[in-house]
Each structure stands twice: as structure tokens, then as C-alpha cells.
Amino acid sequence: MAQPIVLAVDAMSGDHGLSVTVPAALSCLERHKKLHIVLVGDQVRLRACLLDTAWQVGKRLSIQHASQVVAMDEPPSRALRHKKDSSMRVAVDLVKSGQVNAAVSAGNTGALMATARFVLKTLPGIDRPAIVSALPAVLHPVHMLDLGANAECNAEQLVQFAVMGSALVTAVRGIDKPRVALLNIGAEEIKGNDTIKAAATRLQASALNYVGFVEGDGVFLSDVDVVVCDGFVGNVALKTGEGIAKLIRQFMREEFERNVITRAGAMASMPALKALSRRIDPRRYNGASFVGLQGIVIKSHGGADALAFDNAIEMALREVEKNVPARIARLLVSAGLDQPLSPAR
Amino acid sequence: MAQPIVLAVDAMSGDHGLSVTVPAALSCLERHKKLHIVLVGDQVRLRACLLDTAWQVGKRLSIQHASQVVAMDEPPSRALRHKKDSSMRVAVDLVKSGQVNAAVSAGNTGALMATARFVLKTLPGIDRPAIVSALPAVLHPVHMLDLGANAECNAEQLVQFAVMGSALVTAVRGIDKPRVALLNIGAEEIKGNDTIKAAATRLQASALNYVGFVEGDGVFLSDVDVVVCDGFVGNVALKTGEGIAKLIRQFMREEFERNVITRAGAMASMPALKALSRRIDPRRYNGASFVGLQGIVIKSHGGADALAFDNAIEMALREVEKNVPARIARLLVSAGLDQPLSPAR
């Protein structure tokens, strides 16, 4: 029998808490026989939740009590200092102690990142972890980082992101030499700032498959696997993409509901519209990895429903199977980037 | 009879040159009786172009010869130094000399910005001009700036952008106190950098209708009129939006062409799909204003077709009618921002 994979699920997390996290966890357990899940949270409420299901605590499902919850708007420093028995913190502690292989949370991004970094520590050579996620693109999904953990980055950090993104894509997509691009703007003479130019020079000299600059539209329309940028730009790009997709969906709904003819058209187009809707469904892209840590932590969107949270758990499972942190560590060593940065830099 | 409005059209500009700029110019002349157009470019080729049309040089249409063309990939400094008789430069010179009210070009952004800034100079109190354009949003178009002229900006520049955007929106949309937001990222504790925080403090204290931060999705989904950001972030957001829109269009095409049932659905949905397509047609949003200059210059997308270039000419016409630079200058004075920055800053 295959080695079991054990995941901690921060069951109290997200906008919907138990009503989303528990059904998603149980659904994953049903699909993956080697999966074990530790539900972390209020044990009384968790037991009550399980009463209505076909599952009970046993070999593949356990409950780890945690008396506190980190609020969605709680400052990270406060969560770190005062919520040491929160479901978030306990889930990450379980990763640290080796009792689980990874943690999944829909909790607040800042607090989860601060907790993960404090408890798990970064890999040798990594200044700061990054947030990475797969986005839909015309040829294949593209992994973009950083999506918001580091508002300002220096060239070394961008290079670290490139290494981490490459290792992740090699692991989850099975590509030997992922194509890495730096996100930039196109206007001549103001092409990029000094940080991006310095990162480009380093990446050209590296063993990574660096293919050059890509502009905002190229992220989605060209053949690149990893797009690297600072967390401010990455977050704006991610949210802009979400905003435009919602805007088009809204316009489409308005046009199809306009009159009896357009409504009939919508009926006739249902198969294509459903397929389209599925392809751009943000729930299918839910789940962001915190990379650069000595452990696996997956962040789900706070507003995730059970289907979306299920995807985040699947992502954790895949990263455990592929041992992503060890791959990142190895690639850092082979790139000569596993040493702490000298203070001079 | 209304005062004539005279526009210079850089007829050699863009990926398609005369074949796009001349038909667009003639079509605008047909619609607007008070419009006069000066076609700037190679006079022999321009005369040849007009032979096939119902128009000839006369009271409302003239040709200004220019012997050079700025290439789409020409460095701005080279264009400025060696292309003093280019169609781009001559068109902007005509604005400076007062012979026309505005110039429209589909030429390369960097060269056009450098030329416009060198020839026309900035308004009192403006460090650098910005690029602003209207983007589709759920309630009404939103004006965003800077879209790429200034890769790095300080807080003062962001405040100047807010003033310029406000004055422009008041002029073209007739809104008394446009709602101004700063583009930012949402994660707590890393919320923005020092520049954005400083700009927020200044905007709160200003007479503008500053409504706070907006994230990437909020640009398109919330009720704001002006979104302010640096040119790097703005350019990435703009291009990301274009990329996602093209991606969805591509996915939609694939799903509708999948089989005989989906193709029949597409036929039945044609009215709604055409209406949707029209609403998100980037050609309808073509045309970006260079604001902060002592004159009006409109930049069309280089790949514009006649319909798109027509929109850029319309935009110039509107800004002349509303006297946008004078409105910006007045708002700068009333905001106490018309003085040069002290060296200490």
C-alpha cells in the first residue's frame, strides 16, 4: 500500500469556516484512499459537524483541538503574539513537528504567511517566502509569483522567486526546464527599473531556462511557464485579472438576459457556455502555495466554497507527493543560491 | 457657426499608417462639420491616398508635408534628435505653434511622449506628464493613470496624477467631484509602500474627492472614477486586462466551435454575443491622453484599425471642446500644486 499522506486542515478558516472546510476534506478523503486528514479547530463543533456525515474520527480522520481562531482582518503580528492556540497556528505547528505533511488554510493571508514563516522558517538562501499560484492561460496554466507576500523586492529575491517557481512547475507539471519570464512593461527606454534589469542579468547567467521579459498580456497569451514579479505588481495583476473576468461575466449575463431572443440564444448555447464557465471558473484555480519554507502550506481563497477548498487540499496532496520544498532546496543548491546573502547586498 | 476645431493627424503613424489614419480622419470629417484636419506626412503619398476618396485638399482638409517617419521601435532619444521633420514631430510642432488644437498619433509611445514633453512642456507644477485612458467597468468607464510613462513615481507625482485625472473626468464625463482612488494591494501590514501611504495622506488632506484604496479587481467592479498608480503597475494592469479579455474570447471561440450543437448555439446567440463583443471591444476604448502638457496629444494604439483610430480622433475633439489642459491647470492652482517642487523633496 502507498505511504499515507497526512494533511492538517485549518477547519475554522475562511469566510464560511466549518461549513466549507469539513465537506471539502471529507470529499477528498473519499477520492484518495491514501489520504489522512487532521481537522484542526473547536473539537465540540467539529464533532457536531461530523454527526451529519458518513464519517467519524478514526484511522484516516482525526480532530486536533484548537481553542482560538484568527480573524480574517486580524493583523499578522497580533495573530502571531496572541493566537498561539488558533486553528491556523496549530495546523502549521503540526507541519513543523512532522505529524502532518502539509497544512491547508483559508485564513487571512498576512497572518498565515507570518505564522508559516515564524514556525517553519525559510529554506537556506531564501530571504522571504513568496505566494505562487497557477493562472489560466491560452496554452497551459502559468505559475506567477510573488502574488502579494513581498510588496518590494530586490533583484536577488526575484531570482529566488524564479528558482522556486521553476522547481514547483517541474514538480507539479513534470516539465524539465520550465520557461521563466520576468514581468515588465514594454515602453522603450523606461523598460523596467534597475531591479528588473539586474534580475534579468542574473537570470541570463543562471542555469534556469530564462526566456526574457513578458508584458501583462503575455502572461496569458504566450508560452511561458513561470512569471516572476514583485508582490505588489503580482497582486495587482492577479486581482485585475479576476476583476476583468467578473466584468465580462456580468456583461455576458446582461446581454443574454436582455430580451426573449437573447434568452432563447442562451438556452441554445448552454453546453458551450457551461464549458466556458468551467474553464474560467476561479474555483478551479483556487489554492496558492507559500514557497521558500521548510514545509508545505497552501492558502485557499477566504471566500472559497467546498469545491474551491477541495482544490486547495488537492494542491497540498500533489505538493506532498512531489516533495516540493526538497526540490526547491536542491535547485537552490545547484544554482549556488543556498547561502545566506552577504550583508553588503 | 461653431468655432472650428483643427486637429493634426500623424498620418504615417501606427502599424498600418496611411491605410488606417486617412480613412479614419475622413470619416470623422464627415460626421463633424466643425472639424478641420491637417494630415501630416509624405505629401505625395497623402495626395495619392486622397485620389480614391470623395475628399480633396480644401477648407476642412489640408496636408502638411513631413519627410521623415519615426519607427515603431525607435528609441525616443533618437527620434527626438534625428527626426525633426518626422510626421510625429511636425504634428506636435503644429500644436505648439497654435496652428492646430491637438495632435493624434499611433506612433511609438516613448517617442511621442518624449516629443510632446520636449515641444509642448509641462503645465506649471507638473514634473512629468502621465498617460491616462478610460477602461470599461461595471457601472461606468474608469480613468486610470499613469499607464506607462513613469515607471517609478513619488508621492507628489501620484497626487499630481490624481489632480489631472479628476480634471479630465470632470471635463469629459461632466462629473463635478470625481471619486479618486489609489491602486493598492490588500494584505494587511504590507498594505502599500511608503510612497502610496504618503500619497494617501496628501490626498486625504486635499480638496479632491479621495475615496481611499482600491485593489486590482475594484478598478473594474467598484464605483470609482479615477484610479491612480505608478506607470509600471498601471501598464501591467492595463495589459493584464487586455490579456484576460483575449483569453476569454479565445476560450469562448473554442467552446462554440467544438461541435455541431455548440455551433448551432453560437448561431442562436449571435445577437447577445455581438452585443457583448461590442461592449468589450478594445477598439471602442482606443485612445490615451497625455495629460500634464501645455497642449493636447492623443496616443492611439499602434495596431489600431480605422474604427479604433477614429475613436482616438474623437477623443482629441472632445478634449479640445472641453479645454482639458486649461482645466487641469486651474485645478492645480486651486489645489496649491502649481508651484515647482522644492529641491528638498
Side-chain angles (χ1 to χ4, degrees):
Chain A
M1 192 185 149
Q3 179 87 354
I5 289 177
V6 193
L7 302 179
V9 168
D10 175 1
M12 315 303 284
S13 66
D15 299 342
H16 311 298
L18 301 170
S19 67
V20 157
T21 57
V22 174
L26 301 182
S27 144
C28 280
L29 281 173
E30 262 153 35
R31 283 200 309 281
H32 301 283
K33 298 305 172 204
K34 65 181 168 188
L35 178 63
H36 294 212
I37 284 185
V38 182
L39 295 171
V40 185
D42 183 311
Q43 61 185 357
V44 176
R45 293 183 59 197
L46 277 167
R47 280 181 198 283
C49 254
L50 292 179
L51 283 182
D52 298 334
T53 73
W55 285 83
Q56 48 191 344
V57 170
K59 208 176 135 217
R60 292 180 55 216
L61 179 66
S62 56
I63 288 174
Q64 176 71 50
H65 180 65
S67 63
Q68 296 174 305
V69 176
V70 173
M72 292 306 278
D73 57 354
E74 194 156 346
S77 53
R78 214 186 101 84
L80 213 51
R81 207 170 303 128
H82 300 295
K83 294 285 179 78
K84 291 180 184 166
D85 197 39
S86 67
S87 56
M88 177 188 285
R89 174 65 176 270
V90 171
V92 176
D93 283 344
L94 289 172
V95 180
K96 176 69 180 175
S97 67
Q99 293 172 265
V100 303
N101 301 110
V104 184
S105 174
N108 102 48
T109 310
L112 183 61
M113 177 53 90
T115 301
R117 200 179 158 203
F118 176 77
V119 172
L120 301 175
K121 313 297 179 205
T122 55
L123 290 167
I126 295 295
D127 293 323
R128 302 245 333 178
I131 301 175
V132 53
S133 188
L135 307 177
V138 72
L139 295 171
H140 47 70
V142 57
H143 282 75
M144 187 159 167
L145 74 168
D146 174 35
L147 295 179
N150 310 280
E152 282 168 289
C153 297
N154 58 32
E156 284 80 9
Q157 285 176 299
L158 294 178
V159 174
Q160 292 167 12
F161 296 169
V163 171
M164 299 194 288
S166 288
L168 178 66
V169 167
T170 297
V172 299
R173 288 186 47 218
I175 298 172
D176 188 32
K177 284 272 185 187
R179 296 163 61 84
V180 178
L182 276 171
L183 185 57
N184 203 346
I185 63 175
E188 276 306 328
E189 294 209 2
I190 51 165
K191 199 165 229 168
N193 47 37
D194 293 343
T195 304
I196 289 179
K197 282 175 195 160
T201 306
R202 282 161 202 260
L203 285 171
Q204 266 152 3
S206 78
L208 298 181
N209 185 10
Y210 173 66
V211 297
F213 296 134
V214 72
E215 292 189 60
D217 50 347
V219 174
F220 306 96
L221 304 174
S222 61
D223 185 15
V224 294
D225 302 304
V226 178
V227 173
V228 172
C229 56
D230 72 46
F232 193 101
V233 169
N235 190 272
V236 167
L238 176 75
K239 297 271 173 77
T240 297
E242 287 176 11
I244 288 283
K246 280 186 193 163
L247 180 70
I248 293 176
R249 195 180 278 258
Q250 168 69 19
F251 282 176
M252 201 184 301
R253 191 176 303 123
E254 287 173 15
E255 292 308 332
F256 274 120
E257 286 174 359
R258 194 166 290 283
N259 58 45
V260 65
I261 293 170
T262 58
R263 277 195 294 270
M267 294 282 287
S269 303
M270 212 39 91
L273 291 177
K274 278 201 171 145
L276 172 68
S277 183
R278 207 184 108 75
R279 280 178 83 171
I280 58 172
D281 187 348
R283 295 178 304 173
R284 289 182 58 230
Y285 288 88
N286 185 44
S289 313
F290 287 1
V291 286
L293 295 165
Q294 299 184 33
I296 298 172
V297 175
I298 303 295
K299 160 78 175 105
S300 157
H301 200 290
D305 65 8
L307 173 63
F309 197 79
D310 189 312
N311 266 304
I313 300 176
E314 287 277 352
M315 182 177 288
L317 190 64
R318 215 154 47 235
E319 294 199 13
V320 171
E321 284 174 335
K322 302 292 184 180
N323 204 351
V324 169
R327 283 172 183 259
I328 292 175
R330 276 202 301 276
L331 195 53
L332 284 167
V333 171
S334 71
L337 288 172
D338 59 323
Q339 301 303 314
L341 295 178
S342 68
R345 286 189 287 182
Chain B
M1 194 183 148
Q3 179 85 355
I5 289 177
V6 193
L7 302 179
V9 168
D10 175 1
M12 315 305 283
S13 66
D15 299 342
H16 312 296
L18 299 171
S19 67
V20 155
T21 57
V22 174
L26 300 183
S27 143
C28 280
L29 281 173
E30 264 154 35
R31 283 200 310 281
H32 300 282
K33 298 306 171 204
K34 64 182 167 187
L35 178 63
H36 294 213
I37 283 185
V38 182
L39 295 171
V40 185
D42 183 310
Q43 62 185 357
V44 176
R45 294 184 59 200
L46 276 168
R47 279 181 198 284
C49 254
L50 292 179
L51 282 182
D52 297 335
T53 72
W55 285 84
Q56 47 190 344
V57 170
K59 208 177 133 217
R60 291 181 55 214
L61 179 66
S62 57
I63 289 175
Q64 175 72 49
H65 180 65
S67 62
Q68 297 175 304
V69 175
V70 174
M72 290 308 277
D73 57 354
E74 194 156 347
S77 54
R78 213 185 101 83
L80 213 50
R81 207 170 303 125
H82 300 294
K83 295 285 179 77
K84 291 182 184 166
D85 197 37
S86 67
S87 56
M88 178 188 284
R89 175 65 175 270
V90 171
V92 176
D93 284 343
L94 289 173
V95 179
K96 176 70 181 174
S97 68
Q99 291 171 266
V100 304
N101 302 110
V104 183
S105 175
N108 103 47
T109 311
L112 183 61
M113 178 53 91
T115 301
R117 202 178 156 201
F118 176 77
V119 172
L120 300 176
K121 313 299 180 204
T122 54
L123 289 168
I126 295 295
D127 293 324
R128 304 245 331 177
I131 302 175
V132 53
S133 187
L135 306 175
V138 71
L139 295 172
H140 47 69
V142 56
H143 281 76
M144 189 157 164
L145 74 167
D146 173 36
L147 296 178
N150 310 281
E152 284 169 285
C153 297
N154 58 31
E156 283 79 11
Q157 283 175 300
L158 294 178
V159 173
Q160 291 166 11
F161 296 170
V163 171
M164 298 193 290
S166 288
L168 178 65
V169 167
T170 297
V172 299
R173 288 186 49 219
I175 296 172
D176 188 31
K177 284 273 183 183
R179 295 163 62 84
V180 178
L182 276 170
L183 185 58
N184 202 347
I185 63 175
E188 275 307 327
E189 294 208 5
I190 52 166
K191 200 165 228 167
N193 46 37
D194 292 343
T195 305
I196 288 179
K197 283 176 195 158
T201 305
R202 282 161 202 261
L203 285 171
Q204 266 151 3
S206 78
L208 298 180
N209 185 11
Y210 173 66
V211 298
F213 296 135
V214 73
E215 291 189 59
D217 51 347
V219 173
F220 306 96
L221 305 175
S222 60
D223 184 15
V224 294
D225 302 303
V226 178
V227 173
V228 171
C229 55
D230 71 48
F232 193 100
V233 169
N235 191 273
V236 167
L238 176 76
K239 297 271 172 77
T240 297
E242 286 176 13
I244 288 282
K246 280 186 192 163
L247 181 70
I248 292 176
R249 195 181 279 256
Q250 169 68 20
F251 282 175
M252 202 185 300
R253 192 177 302 121
E254 286 172 16
E255 293 308 332
F256 274 120
E257 285 172 1
R258 195 165 289 283
N259 58 45
V260 66
I261 293 171
T262 59
R263 278 195 294 271
M267 294 281 286
S269 305
M270 213 38 92
L273 292 177
K274 278 200 171 149
L276 172 68
S277 183
R278 207 183 109 75
R279 281 179 82 170
I280 58 173
D281 187 348
R283 297 179 301 174
R284 290 183 57 228
Y285 289 88
N286 184 45
S289 314
F290 287 1
V291 286
L293 295 165
Q294 299 182 33
I296 298 172
V297 175
I298 303 294
K299 159 79 174 103
S300 159
H301 200 290
D305 65 7
L307 173 62
F309 196 79
D310 188 311
N311 266 304
I313 301 176
E314 287 276 353
M315 183 178 288
L317 190 64
R318 216 154 44 233
E319 294 198 11
V320 171
E321 284 175 334
K322 303 291 184 180
N323 203 351
V324 169
R327 282 172 185 260
I328 292 176
R330 275 203 301 274
L331 195 53
L332 284 166
V333 171
S334 71
L337 290 171
D338 59 323
Q339 300 304 315
L341 295 178
S342 68
R345 288 188 287 183

